[in-house]
Amino acid sequence: MSLEALYQDIIIDHYKNPRGRGLLEFPLGTAFHVNPTCGDEVNLQVAAAADGGLLIGYEGTGCSISQASASVLYELVQGRQVTEAENIRRAFVELMHSQGHGEPDEAVLGDGIAFVGVAKYPARIKCALLPWMAFQDAEIKGGLMLETNSDGE
Amino acid sequence: MSLEALYQDIIIDHYKNPRGRGLLEFPLGTAFHVNPTCGDEVNLQVAAAADGGLLIGYEGTGCSISQASASVLYELVQGRQVTEAENIRRAFVELMHSQGHGEPDEAVLGDGIAFVGVAKYPARIKCALLPWMAFQDAEIKGGLMLETNSDGE
Amino acid sequence: MTGIDVARIRADFPILKRTVRDGKPLIYLDSAATSQKPVEVLDAERTFYETSNAAAHRGAHQLAEEATAAYEASRARVGGFVGVEAENIIFTKNASESLNLAAYAFSNATALARWGTPVDPRFELNPGNSVVVTEMEHHANLIPWQEVCAKTGASLRWLPLTDSGRLDLADLDDLIDTSTKVVSVVHQSNILGTINPVAEIMARAHAVGAVGVVDACQSIPHMPVDVRALGADLVAWGGHKMLGPTGIGLLYGTSEILQAMPPFLTGGSMIATVEMERSTYAAAPQKFEAGVPMVAQAVGLGAAVAYLEKLGMAEVAAHEQELTAYSLMALSGIPGVRIIGPTETVDRGSAISFVVEGIHPHDVGQVLDNMGIAVRVGHHCAWPTCRRFGVPATTRISPYIYNDQRDIDALVEAIAHAQHFFKVAS
Amino acid sequence: MTGIDVARIRADFPILKRTVRDGKPLIYLDSAATSQKPVEVLDAERTFYETSNAAAHRGAHQLAEEATAAYEASRARVGGFVGVEAENIIFTKNASESLNLAAYAFSNATALARWGTPVDPRFELNPGNSVVVTEMEHHANLIPWQEVCAKTGASLRWLPLTDSGRLDLADLDDLIDTSTKVVSVVHQSNILGTINPVAEIMARAHAVGAVGVVDACQSIPHMPVDVRALGADLVAWGGHKMLGPTGIGLLYGTSEILQAMPPFLTGGSMIATVEMERSTYAAAPQKFEAGVPMVAQAVGLGAAVAYLEKLGMAEVAAHEQELTAYSLMALSGIPGVRIIGPTETVDRGSAISFVVEGIHPHDVGQVLDNMGIAVRVGHHCAWPTCRRFGVPATTRISPYIYNDQRDIDALVEAIAHAQHFFKVAS
Ligand SMILES: Cc1ncc(COP(=O)(O)O)c(C=O)c1O
Ligand SMILES: Cc1ncc(COP(=O)(O)O)c(C=O)c1O
């Protein structure tokens, strides 16, 4: 696979220009996740707006994949209802487990479809999933999701 | 190698009719040695007669080689001076490390020469040496030999 | 006749073609010590080294990806073989390490608690507590618990044996009582061949809140074992007795227990975060696998499992059952031979210990060896069991998939020869 | 030019002929994680399985004799390689186990003493005691000591680093003081490449009566090491980084210390006598080798040692020194590249860490991997060292006997490509 197919311009763009980066003033749930093999870090926060829409805060350090993934996460779930967000999260996780054969739905995953090439590199899948796992964890900690709903990802 | 060459009649004879078997009333040094892989046991005791000659007591359970070796040991060193006994012990140890190529001196080793075949079977060498190691140990414990003289056998 | 074609199987094991002691064909009856390895296992290891060798879980390049995938695929395969998820399987170097890992959970937790680290109280031992094993344990499932007791003040108890080599469970409820924090028993004895009712014992352990451990070294290689059905929290066994390479062992644990246990070996690859002052640990199984793992051995073990699955474990068990019946009959028929352990095939495996009147086991083994027959002699790392039966040692045969009745016939003939040679009644 | 003929050596390593990532020739620069294995090592293991496989030290038949002899011959060979007797070499599964074995001597002795078992007081730790490591330890030589402290109340201290990646020994005599009972330091850092003056540190340890431990994982595979000259009581390293199989590690100990240490893993083969209530233990090295050992891996390691001895360790070191000089020069010449660790060849080995400004190491590694170059990225199991240098991770090359300057040239080109791809100044 070419480098260009892995590092699609969308990824590089989110990496260099992260959307909505920063922490929340009043988070409901916060999860700090680390990739122990490479040291990538994401601190992810959730809160709920008056209309039930999700508010996302995040910070982190790490490789382009992990940090771009956090930015894409923000773009995709900020303002969504918890159940909508959960569908998006599941779609992203599924894409990462597709071994590169996934056909992601842009209507659901938006810029997330740019991560299709990552699924071919087992060591990088963890990078891409890092913010999404932290997201799920933050939702559980914030009482927005039951632990038993967790799929272990 | 044939079984007959390993188990020479002399060995079987000492096994079935052990010489001088039994414990001393007033041992100077006693050493109980075990072969941890097969459980063979020898309890060996030394004392010195008025003329400085060694008195040997022993008991044990185990295979023909270990028990015959104890009997031969008795026959060879009972009544000897410590230094004479030490020469015999060294000759026996050397024979056991000859890998079966040793040419034992009957004048020194007496019935001990029957053990020449044992040296071809690494697992049995330990059996044959068991009483001899206990002997050395008992001499050290009994103050008849210095620990630094020990050759680690 | 079972579905096991011994002649075909033997062709897969290069070592079985060799001769020993001046040209005698090798008859290998020592598989309880370690099994031989089929060419598929040797090929799998070699291919791994020749194509994908790298440090698993420690790199992002293609070789490291492949090595990690191969290592984890083997974990899943081993898990599937005993009916559990990959994440419940920990790779160790041998069954002894697996059992020590279990035992150290208790001594480590006790020491950690003493200095203020919060631990799961199930693992904390005090002088009032007891640890229960049986009188037929392999040293590997006895000494680690003796050490735990010496390090915590707890006391060791054991289930005694009947004269026929079975566990005597009459006092089960007294021996395993509310003081008991861990019960560790062997599934199939390596010296007696007895298969123990471990599920019943584990149920009693759980009834008093104790952790249950099973040593399945001699069962998993020989019969279908659904480790969950054993009812234990932890199950230990080795790879080298089930056609796998040397240098690899296994520990199954329930997710719940693995999470509750403190780590054992610590270092790289088992961590979540590390600072100079303190570290946090990864989830199991990584938590228990410090350092660069035995990747090639895991791959070889995966091939061994595939080989056994191809044969079918039910077929393997049936074959051994048949051979056990034949061996018991043949050995009982020799005057002067006494079997140490159950003399019927009910709840017993193919390892059979015996003594020959008037000949020390070491000497029996020597005669057998001289005739090309490899058996084990000694206390078989179950010295207290020997004492229980008043013998210093035994001779043990332990057949496997590559043995047949002709091997037993040869054995019987060799025993007769030993009796003749040592001039004892036969 | 040194006496190392890289082209000839490469021919002995089957894996180096493969391609990765759509046909790129493999350039393996990750030998500090694990080395590749020459065909001699693979052949030795296979031949063992095909001719002599049996449980070493556990039988009296011919195969068991041969297996025992092969296992012990390898021990002697490894001992000879580092200048010591066979009986001072213990086989473990990896260097992490070796270091844990050393660390557990302290926590075990402390717990045993508490309940009345007599122990050598050198191993007994109390809250007033300290354990000293350095800030450049691999996790394998850090976390076991953190755990020892957590289990005994002792406290952990460490020798700090200078900005150039050397040990700062200014406070050596304060950090290692009369409270200190063990000092454990890395000989050559796996992340910085620094070679430490361990003999000096060990001398200080001994001056205060502390036990001295050295982690020689990255030195023994790369240069002639006379372990006795290190002045340590215990020296740990692994087999898989020195051309040997996975699943085997080493621990050297002085006879005196091995006798004084309590056992670690317990079970079969490490005993003298066993009763249900208590056991006594064999002398070292057996005392520390419970269970059926990794015989095939020991045999493979013996072949690896033979291979290195044939090349000559002085030649190996000279070759790496030359390559290190070349690599340092080449990497320093790339704008935006910063070397983490010593930038001169004095007292440094061939493992070189660096960061590329504006590109995360993981992304650097990805570009390199895509071009066929296998390096390691991350914290290299030395996370605190990364923090010390203010980087979350590094990219590390670690060449060995099968690498040459062309591999470094390819690396330089690939880094330039990464800078171009990620549009950072170059
Ligand atoms: C019942 C039993 N438990 C434990 C062990 C120890 O296994 P290993 O040698 O793989 O550590 C063995 C075999 O030696 C065994 O038969
Ligand atoms: C300096 C150092 N110490 C310890 C280790 C751990 O070695 P192993 O993975 O063989 O346990 C390594 C390598 O991983 C190392 O480089």
Side-chain angles (χ1 to χ4, degrees):
Chain A
M1 205 170 87
S2 72
L3 275 182
E4 288 73 13
L6 170 62
Y7 291 111
Q8 294 191 24
D9 289 344
I10 299 177
I11 294 182
I12 302 291
D13 182 51
H14 275 274
Y15 177 46
K16 302 224 158 170
N17 311 296
R19 324 290 198 259
R21 191 181 163 100
L23 297 181
L24 300 179
E25 208 169 339
F26 302 109
L28 262 180
T30 299
F32 176 72
H33 276 214
V34 172
N35 180 338
T37 46
C38 62
D40 284 2
E41 301 175 349
V42 167
N43 195 17
L44 204 137
Q45 302 180 319
V46 295
D51 66 351
L54 282 165
L55 299 173
I56 303 290
Y58 74 95
E59 268 182 3
T61 58
C63 68
S64 58
I65 305 286
S66 67
Q67 302 306 308
S69 180
S71 170
V72 168
L73 181 152
Y74 172 86
E75 195 170 78
L76 286 172
V77 305
Q78 168 83 0
R80 300 275 189 157
Q81 297 298 313
V82 170
T83 48
E84 286 176 311
E86 181 57 11
N87 284 337
I88 297 168
R89 196 188 63 79
R90 283 178 196 265
F92 191 83
V93 168
E94 195 187 302
L95 177 63
M96 286 303 99
H97 289 166
S98 68
Q99 310 197 304
H101 306 305
E103 293 186 4
D105 182 351
E106 189 167 356
V108 178
L109 283 177
D111 281 0
I113 64 169
F115 287 79
V116 60
V118 175
K120 284 218 165 171
Y121 295 89
R124 306 311 295 274
I125 294 172
K126 285 188 196 159
C127 305
L129 287 177
L130 187 66
W132 295 88
M133 291 176 67
F135 171 50
Q136 185 187 26
D137 199 10
E139 287 187 298
I140 292 168
K141 288 187 176 155
L144 297 176
M145 191 193 269
L146 288 178
E147 189 141 10
T148 46
N149 271 348
S150 146
D151 55 9
E153 277 311 326
Chain B
M1 205 171 87
S2 73
L3 276 182
E4 287 74 13
L6 170 62
Y7 292 111
Q8 294 191 24
D9 289 343
I10 299 177
I11 294 182
I12 302 292
D13 183 51
H14 275 273
Y15 177 47
K16 301 223 160 174
N17 310 296
R19 325 291 198 257
R21 191 182 162 99
L23 296 181
L24 301 179
E25 208 168 342
F26 302 108
L28 261 180
T30 298
F32 177 72
H33 276 215
V34 171
N35 180 336
T37 47
C38 64
D40 284 1
E41 301 175 351
V42 168
N43 195 16
L44 206 138
Q45 303 180 319
V46 295
D51 66 350
L54 280 164
L55 299 172
I56 301 291
Y58 73 97
E59 267 182 2
T61 57
C63 67
S64 57
I65 306 286
S66 66
Q67 303 306 306
S69 180
S71 171
V72 167
L73 181 152
Y74 173 87
E75 197 171 77
L76 287 172
V77 307
Q78 170 81 359
R80 300 273 190 157
Q81 297 298 314
V82 171
T83 47
E84 286 176 312
E86 182 57 13
N87 284 338
I88 297 169
R89 196 188 64 78
R90 282 177 195 266
F92 191 83
V93 168
E94 195 186 304
L95 177 62
M96 286 302 101
H97 289 166
S98 68
Q99 309 195 305
H101 307 304
E103 294 186 3
D105 182 351
E106 189 166 357
V108 177
L109 282 177
D111 282 359
I113 64 168
F115 287 79
V116 61
V118 175
K120 284 218 164 170
Y121 295 88
R124 306 310 295 274
I125 294 173
K126 285 188 197 160
C127 305
L129 287 178
L130 188 67
W132 296 88
M133 291 175 66
F135 171 52
Q136 185 186 27
D137 199 11
E139 287 187 299
I140 291 168
K141 288 186 176 158
L144 297 175
M145 190 193 271
L146 287 180
E147 188 141 11
T148 45
N149 272 347
S150 147
D151 54 8
E153 278 308 328
Chain C
M1 277 292 292
T2 68
I4 295 291
D5 181 344
V6 172
R8 253 181 82 178
I9 289 173
R10 289 178 61 88
D12 295 332
F13 290 76
I15 201 172
L16 298 180
K17 293 175 193 94
R18 77 164 273 183
T19 59
V20 291
R21 302 294 180 215
D22 306 324
K24 316 274 190 339
L26 170 65
I27 298 179
Y28 189 75
L29 287 171
D30 195 18
S31 294
T34 199
S35 75
Q36 296 303 339
K37 328 296 177 197
V39 75
E40 284 84 344
V41 169
L42 309 187
D43 285 348
E45 270 207 83
R46 186 164 190 128
T47 303
F48 170 77
Y49 283 128
E50 291 186 350
T51 61
S52 306
N53 176 62
H57 286 296
R58 292 210 175 179
H61 53 77
Q62 185 173 351
L63 295 188
E65 271 178 14
E66 290 180 12
T68 306
Y71 183 62
E72 292 304 327
S74 173
R75 193 196 301 279
R77 176 135 229 165
V78 171
F81 185 64
V82 294
V84 301
E85 298 297 314
E87 67 197 40
N88 296 101
I89 299 291
I90 294 159
F91 285 124
T92 61
K93 70 173 176 177
N94 57 21
S96 301
E97 185 194 334
S98 304
L99 289 161
N100 275 273
L101 196 169
Y104 269 100
F106 293 85
S107 48
N108 281 341
T110 304
L112 288 168
R114 182 165 149 71
W115 295 101
T117 304
V119 300
D120 187 313
R122 278 178 299 174
F123 297 103
E124 213 183 317
L125 293 178
N126 290 303
N129 290 131
S130 64
V131 171
V132 180
V133 297
T134 80
E135 208 177 350
M136 62 167 91
E137 297 309 323
H138 188 281
H139 295 163
N141 196 31
L142 170 62
I143 307 181
W145 302 111
Q146 292 179 342
E147 285 287 315
V148 164
C149 291
K151 285 183 272 189
T152 61
S155 51
L156 189 72
R157 299 176 179 174
W158 53 91
L159 298 165
L161 308 185
T162 69
D163 288 342
S164 58
R166 304 281 179 188
L167 278 185
D168 179 350
L169 297 181
D171 296 330
L172 181 66
D173 290 357
D174 290 335
L175 283 164
I176 301 177
D177 63 14
T178 52
S179 77
T180 308
K181 298 204 88 163
V182 53
V183 178
S184 190
V185 300
V186 68
H187 189 195
Q188 175 171 325
S189 160
N190 70 309
I191 179 167
L192 303 173
T194 319
I195 297 174
N196 293 315
V198 289
E200 182 185 341
I201 301 168
M202 291 298 115
R204 175 63 192 160
H206 286 152
V208 299
V211 173
V213 185
V214 167
D215 172 354
C217 277
Q218 298 291 348
S219 52
I220 289 176
H222 298 285
M223 56 169 117
V225 174
D226 172 352
V227 294
R228 257 191 300 240
L230 301 179
D233 299 293
L234 295 163
V235 178
W237 75 103
H240 65 91
K241 294 190 211 284
M242 54 185 279
L243 312 183
T246 58
I248 187 155
L250 292 315
L251 182 68
Y252 154 81
T254 62
S255 301
E256 190 271 321
I257 208 86
L258 294 181
Q259 202 191 323
M261 283 163 72
F264 171 44
L265 298 176
T266 59
S269 301
M270 52 75 70
I271 54 104
T273 59
V274 181
E275 296 173 44
M276 283 310 290
E277 294 88 352
R278 73 194 60 81
S279 304
T280 60
Y281 301 128
Q286 271 70 41
K287 175 169 135 189
F288 298 103
E289 296 184 1
V292 170
M294 53 299 284
V295 196
Q297 291 73 39
V299 169
L301 180 59
V305 167
Y307 191 94
L308 288 172
E309 283 175 340
K310 203 179 59 193
L311 294 180
M313 287 310 291
E315 295 293 334
V316 169
H319 170 72
E320 291 198 35
Q321 195 68 10
E322 213 174 86
L323 214 49
T324 305
Y326 188 80
S327 306
L328 287 171
M329 199 190 61
L331 287 168
S332 319
I334 309 176
V337 167
R338 176 159 72 100
I339 289 168
I340 308 291
T343 51
E344 319 129 13
T345 54
V346 183
D347 287 340
R348 77 123 54 237
S350 62
I352 304 177
S353 272
F354 58 92
V355 291
V356 183
E357 210 177 302
I359 317 180
H360 189 276
H362 225 143
D363 295 318
V364 175
Q366 192 77 47
V367 175
L368 268 45
D369 175 41
N370 234 55
M371 298 174 77
I373 305 174
V375 298
R376 178 128 176 241
V377 295
H379 51 59
H380 314 286
C381 300
W383 208 333
T385 317
C386 285
R387 270 198 215 94
R388 163 64 182 80
F389 289 97
V391 292
T394 76
T395 302
R396 179 190 71 188
I397 60 163
S398 54
Y400 204 16
I401 50 173
Y402 31 67
N403 297 112
D404 61 16
Q405 299 189 350
R406 278 173 309 175
D407 297 337
I408 306 303
D409 294 341
L411 169 77
V412 169
E413 204 179 301
I415 294 171
H417 184 70
Q419 290 178 317
H420 173 77
F421 184 81
F422 284 102
K423 301 189 180 66
V424 301
S426 74
Chain D
M1 278 290 295
T2 68
I4 295 291
D5 180 344
V6 173
R8 252 180 85 175
I9 288 174
R10 289 179 61 87
D12 295 331
F13 290 76
I15 201 171
L16 298 180
K17 292 173 193 97
R18 77 164 274 183
T19 60
V20 290
R21 303 290 182 216
D22 306 325
K24 318 273 189 338
L26 170 66
I27 297 178
Y28 189 75
L29 287 172
D30 195 18
S31 294
T34 199
S35 75
Q36 296 304 339
K37 329 296 177 199
V39 75
E40 284 83 346
V41 169
L42 309 187
D43 286 347
E45 269 209 84
R46 184 160 192 131
T47 302
F48 171 77
Y49 282 127
E50 290 185 351
T51 61
S52 307
N53 177 61
H57 286 296
R58 292 210 175 179
H61 52 76
Q62 185 173 349
L63 295 188
E65 270 177 13
E66 291 179 13
T68 306
Y71 183 63
E72 292 304 327
S74 173
R75 194 196 302 279
R77 177 135 228 165
V78 171
F81 184 64
V82 293
V84 301
E85 296 299 314
E87 68 197 38
N88 296 101
I89 298 291
I90 295 160
F91 284 124
T92 61
K93 70 172 177 179
N94 56 22
S96 301
E97 185 193 334
S98 305
L99 290 162
N100 275 272
L101 196 169
Y104 268 101
F106 294 85
S107 47
N108 281 340
T110 304
L112 288 168
R114 180 164 150 72
W115 296 100
T117 303
V119 301
D120 187 314
R122 276 179 299 174
F123 297 103
E124 215 184 317
L125 293 179
N126 290 302
N129 290 130
S130 64
V131 171
V132 180
V133 297
T134 79
E135 206 176 352
M136 63 166 91
E137 296 310 323
H138 187 280
H139 295 163
N141 197 30
L142 170 62
I143 308 182
W145 302 111
Q146 291 179 343
E147 286 287 315
V148 164
C149 290
K151 285 184 272 189
T152 61
S155 52
L156 189 73
R157 299 175 179 175
W158 53 92
L159 298 165
L161 309 186
T162 68
D163 288 342
S164 57
R166 305 279 179 188
L167 278 185
D168 179 350
L169 296 181
D171 296 329
L172 182 67
D173 290 356
D174 290 335
L175 283 164
I176 301 176
D177 64 15
T178 52
S179 77
T180 308
K181 297 202 88 162
V182 52
V183 178
S184 190
V185 299
V186 67
H187 190 195
Q188 175 171 327
S189 160
N190 70 308
I191 179 165
L192 303 174
T194 319
I195 297 173
N196 293 315
V198 289
E200 181 186 342
I201 300 168
M202 291 298 115
R204 175 63 191 161
H206 287 153
V208 298
V211 174
V213 185
V214 167
D215 172 355
C217 278
Q218 299 290 351
S219 52
I220 290 177
H222 299 283
M223 57 170 118
V225 175
D226 171 353
V227 295
R228 256 191 300 241
L230 301 179
D233 299 293
L234 295 163
V235 178
W237 75 105
H240 66 90
K241 294 190 211 282
M242 53 185 278
L243 312 183
T246 57
I248 189 157
L250 292 315
L251 181 68
Y252 154 81
T254 63
S255 302
E256 191 272 320
I257 207 87
L258 294 181
Q259 201 190 324
M261 281 164 74
F264 170 45
L265 298 176
T266 59
S269 302
M270 51 74 71
I271 55 103
T273 61
V274 181
E275 296 173 42
M276 283 310 291
E277 294 86 353
R278 73 193 62 78
S279 304
T280 59
Y281 302 128
Q286 271 69 40
K287 175 169 135 188
F288 298 102
E289 295 184 1
V292 170
M294 54 298 282
V295 195
Q297 290 74 38
V299 168
L301 180 59
V305 167
Y307 191 95
L308 287 172
E309 283 175 341
K310 203 180 59 193
L311 293 180
M313 287 311 292
E315 294 294 334
V316 169
H319 170 72
E320 292 199 34
Q321 195 70 10
E322 210 175 88
L323 215 48
T324 304
Y326 190 79
S327 306
L328 287 170
M329 198 190 61
L331 286 167
S332 318
I334 309 176
V337 166
R338 176 159 72 100
I339 289 168
I340 309 292
T343 50
E344 319 130 12
T345 55
V346 183
D347 287 340
R348 78 125 50 234
S350 62
I352 304 177
S353 273
F354 59 90
V355 289
V356 183
E357 210 177 302
I359 317 181
H360 189 275
H362 225 144
D363 295 318
V364 174
Q366 191 76 47
V367 174
L368 267 47
D369 175 41
N370 234 55
M371 298 174 77
I373 304 173
V375 298
R376 178 128 176 239
V377 295
H379 51 59
H380 314 286
C381 299
W383 209 332
T385 316
C386 285
R387 271 199 213 92
R388 163 64 180 81
F389 289 97
V391 293
T394 76
T395 301
R396 178 191 71 189
I397 59 163
S398 54
Y400 204 15
I401 50 172
Y402 32 66
N403 296 111
D404 61 16
Q405 299 190 351
R406 277 172 309 173
D407 297 337
I408 306 303
D409 294 341
L411 169 78
V412 169
E413 203 178 302
I415 293 172
H417 183 69
Q419 292 176 316
H420 173 76
F421 183 81
F422 285 101
K423 302 190 180 61
V424 300
S426 74

